Amino acid sequence: MLVRPENRLVADSLERRWNEKLAELSKAEEEYARAVKAEDPDLSPAARERIHSLVSDLPAVWNDACTPARERKRILRLIVEDVTLIRDRKIHLHIRWKGGATTSMEHPLPLSAPDLNRTSATVVELVRALATEQTDHQIADTLNGRWLRTGTSQRFTRLRVRRIRLAYGIRSLAQYKREAGWHTTAEISAQLHLHPQTLKRYAHEGVLSAQRVNDKGEILFEPFSGPPPEPHHGKRLRDRRRHPKLTPHVRKEMQYEA
């Protein structure tokens, strides 16, 4: 009645269409209510048997590669009423099903990004064990030879091994040997009154027990008891060998990443 006279014909047409849609909606709701209340829906025996088989074998339907994601969502809407998640030290999951039953589960918290990229504890313990006998570069070669990788799936290098040692407080080979009483070249030179170059030749030929303790090629000498070695003119050093020869130090090397 509030429409202007020149627009009443349009208003009457819109009102008629609105009333028709309301009548259709009411009819559809009545039909849906009758179908829901029907105790025995009109299903063929074959369809009824198929529905029962699907209900009894829901995991097979869910995991079937032919079941699309939209059907899985539809299944969840049909069987799950609501889900409640509570997060504290763990994730508490409470599921309320359509029939009224409830299920409660607990899950550990997901790992953070640093934890996902962290080197495994097995590799860390292996580095701890190898550090007592090998340098960082040698440890990297050993780990790569066993097809082990870092937390980010990279090959091990000297610097990566060193970062692992520093992060987990693992002592280097030089620190282990120093704590065991091994001496530097300067200390042995002052103790035996021998020139450092002479001591290095003794180490290279196995007259004295020595080991390279880092990737710079630095040498530490094992403590010894008894009389120190003395020069023997006319006797070759290899004939006086009592220990394994000192491994040579490779100053320049090239490393290829796979």
Side-chain angles (χ1 to χ4, degrees), residues 183-242:
H183 305 288
T184 64
T185 303
E187 293 171 347
I188 293 293
S189 176
Q191 180 180 351
L192 301 182
H193 304 289
L194 294 175
H195 194 275
Q197 292 299 327
T198 301
L199 292 175
K200 292 180 180 179
R201 286 200 303 270
Y202 283 174
H204 280 291
E205 294 298 333
V207 179
L208 291 175
S209 177
Q211 184 177 355
R212 299 192 185 277
V213 293
N214 56 32
D215 297 312
K216 297 179 181 179
E218 296 179 357
I219 300 173
L220 288 182
F221 290 84
E222 183 179 9
F224 57 91
S225 59
E230 297 180 355
H232 288 270
H233 299 288
K235 190 174 183 179
R236 296 175 298 186
L237 291 178
R238 63 184 182 183
D239 296 332
R240 302 168 53 191
R241 183 178 303 154
R242 295 181 297 175

Side-chain angles (χ1 to χ4, degrees), residues 125-211:
E125 292 305 316
L126 185 56
V127 170
R128 192 185 305 276
L130 293 174
T132 60
E133 295 295 336
Q134 296 182 1
T135 65
D136 292 343
H137 184 77
Q138 292 171 339
I139 293 174
D141 290 341
T142 302
L143 297 177
N144 292 329
R146 299 185 184 184
W147 293 97
L148 297 175
R149 294 295 182 264
T150 66
T152 54
S153 301
Q154 295 178 314
R155 288 172 55 87
F156 283 95
T157 61
R158 175 181 62 85
L159 293 179
R160 288 173 183 149
V161 171
R162 184 174 183 273
R163 284 197 292 266
I164 291 175
R165 283 198 307 98
L166 295 179
Y168 290 92
I170 301 175
R171 290 169 293 178
S172 64
L173 176 60
Q175 292 172 324
Y176 276 111
K177 294 301 183 182
R178 290 294 287 172
E179 292 176 2
W182 288 49
H183 305 288
T184 64
T185 303
E187 293 171 347
I188 293 293
S189 176
Q191 180 180 351
L192 301 182
H193 304 289
L194 294 175
H195 194 275
Q197 292 299 327
T198 301
L199 292 175
K200 292 180 180 179
R201 286 200 303 270
Y202 283 174
H204 280 291
E205 294 298 333
V207 179
L208 291 175
S209 177
Q211 184 177 355

